[in-house]
């Protein structure tokens, strides 16, 4: 994680405020034997970076927060590969009935559908299965490839993609999960699953890392 490099004077200011804040800019300058104007840019940097907070008529105090910049770096650095779950896949010829059982057995909300070579061909959501179940008594006769959302309309991602990118796709497409794929010449291999739960977990881990 990248932290902003503080210069010697900024570090001194930070120490003074940590020890004796709230303290005015005037008083800080006095302690350093410098003019108020000289330290103004340093105070501005420390405040902008989130190290210090300033209140009118009170002065500067140590925010106790880690700098905003490092939270942003952390967020940008979160990759699919670090948060993905194990994918649950079914063959495109299994029946809707079996897919429903699979969904319960593996306790997931989305199944990924693959062909005989294990390449991605479709996605089955809870509501895809519910919709088919309504007024349909032959669930053990319908293969899932008839009802699934199919390629090329599948939104997927790769291990190295950023979680922010994935979150945006989920919201834009109104979907709960994406298959994580590894692209081969012959097709897309399903190597993972990323869901809203993974995103929530990532969000929480970022908060915990920064002691929020
Ligand atoms: P639900 O349908 O249970 O609310 P979703 O919101 O995930 O769950 O799915 C909405 C629709 O989008 C479904 O028809 C599903 O097949 C489809 N879908 C789900 N995930 C994807 C995806 N990654 N790419 C394309 N379509 C998807």
């Amino acid at each position: 994680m990248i932290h902003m490099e503080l210069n010697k004077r900024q570090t001194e200011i930070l120490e003074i405020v940590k020890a004796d804040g709230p303290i005015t800019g005037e008083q800080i300058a006095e302690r350093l034997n410098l003019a108020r104007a000289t330290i103004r840019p340093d105070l501005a940097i420390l405040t902008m970076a989130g190290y210090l907070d300033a209140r009118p008529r009170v002065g500067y105090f140590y925010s106790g927060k880690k700098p905003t910049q490092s939270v942003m770096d952390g967020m940008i650095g979160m990759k699919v590969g670090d948060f993905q779950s194990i994918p649950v896949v079914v063959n495109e010829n299994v029946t809707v009935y079996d897919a429903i059982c699979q969904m319960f057995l593996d306790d997931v909300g989305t199944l990924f559908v693959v062909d005989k070579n294990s390449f991605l061909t479709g996605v089955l959501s809870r509501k895809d299965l519910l919709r088919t179940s309504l007024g349909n008594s032959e669930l053990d006769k319908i293969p899932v490839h008839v009802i699934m959302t199919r390629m090329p309309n599948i939104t997927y991602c790769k291990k190295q993609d950023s979680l922010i990118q994935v979150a945006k796709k989920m919201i834009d497409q109104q979907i709960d999960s994406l298959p994580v794929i590894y692209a081969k010449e012959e097709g897309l291999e399903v190597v993972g699953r990323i869901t809203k739960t993974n995103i929530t977990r990532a969000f929480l881990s970022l908060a915990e890392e920064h002691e929020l």
Side-chain angles (χ1 to χ4, degrees):
M1 188 157 303
I2 308 155
H3 287 270
M4 200 181 79
E5 285 294 327
L6 298 183
N7 67 28
K8 185 164 172 292
R9 190 194 289 153
Q10 289 160 357
T11 310
E12 283 176 341
I13 294 174
L14 198 58
E15 288 311 312
I16 292 171
V17 179
K18 259 192 208 175
D20 298 320
I23 180 168
T24 66
E26 199 65 57
Q27 290 166 324
I28 298 170
E30 228 171 74
R31 294 269 289 269
L32 293 168
N33 290 318
L34 295 168
R36 169 81 178 86
T38 314
I39 66 164
R40 189 165 292 135
D42 298 313
L43 287 170
I45 286 168
L46 290 169
T47 311
M48 271 191 301
Y51 287 97
L52 298 184
D53 277 338
R55 290 228 188 96
R57 288 183 298 280
V58 177
Y60 292 92
F61 57 97
Y62 183 56
S63 68
K65 287 185 226 148
K66 301 250 174 82
T68 323
Q69 185 62 44
S70 78
V71 177
M72 276 172 17
D73 290 338
M75 212 192 285
I76 292 163
M78 290 193 302
K79 303 292 178 207
V80 166
D82 300 328
F83 291 93
Q84 71 187 38
S85 304
I86 296 166
V88 179
V89 300
V90 295
N91 183 276
E92 56 191 6
N93 292 316
V94 305
T95 65
V96 171
Y97 183 91
D98 285 340
I100 293 172
C101 295
Q102 195 74 50
M103 195 172 262
F104 276 101
L105 276 175
D106 286 293
D107 193 19
V108 289
T110 311
L111 298 171
F112 301 130
V113 185
V114 295
D115 62 15
K116 62 180 192 321
N117 299 315
S118 296
F119 291 130
L120 180 67
T121 57
V123 168
L124 286 168
S125 75
R126 276 180 277 235
K127 270 184 236 146
D128 293 333
L129 297 172
L130 264 179
R131 192 182 304 114
T132 312
S133 306
L134 281 175
N136 210 322
S137 53
E138 307 245 284
L139 299 180
D140 55 347
K141 301 228 161 41
I142 311 165
V144 291
H145 68 77
V146 176
I147 66 153
M148 68 188 188
T149 301
R150 60 182 53 252
M151 284 293 277
N153 299 321
I154 305 299
T155 305
Y156 55 80
C157 63
K158 299 183 178 173
K159 254 176 126 117
Q160 60 275 19
D161 289 348
S162 97
L163 273 196
I164 297 179
Q165 250 175 301
V166 168
K168 184 164 168 36
K169 283 183 179 174
M170 280 181 182
I171 296 298
D172 288 351
Q173 311 289 322
Q174 298 184 311
I175 50 179
D176 292 346
S177 84
L178 271 70
V180 184
I181 62 95
Y182 178 77
K184 289 192 164 170
E185 251 175 53
E186 318 87 276
L188 305 179
E189 200 174 74
V190 184
V191 296
R193 167 172 69 96
I194 197 107
T195 68
K196 287 180 176 172
T197 305
N198 299 117
I199 304 277
T200 307
R201 210 172 274 142
F203 177 71
L204 199 59
S205 83
L206 190 67
E208 281 168 355
E209 197 177 313
H210 291 271
E211 290 157 27
L212 299 176

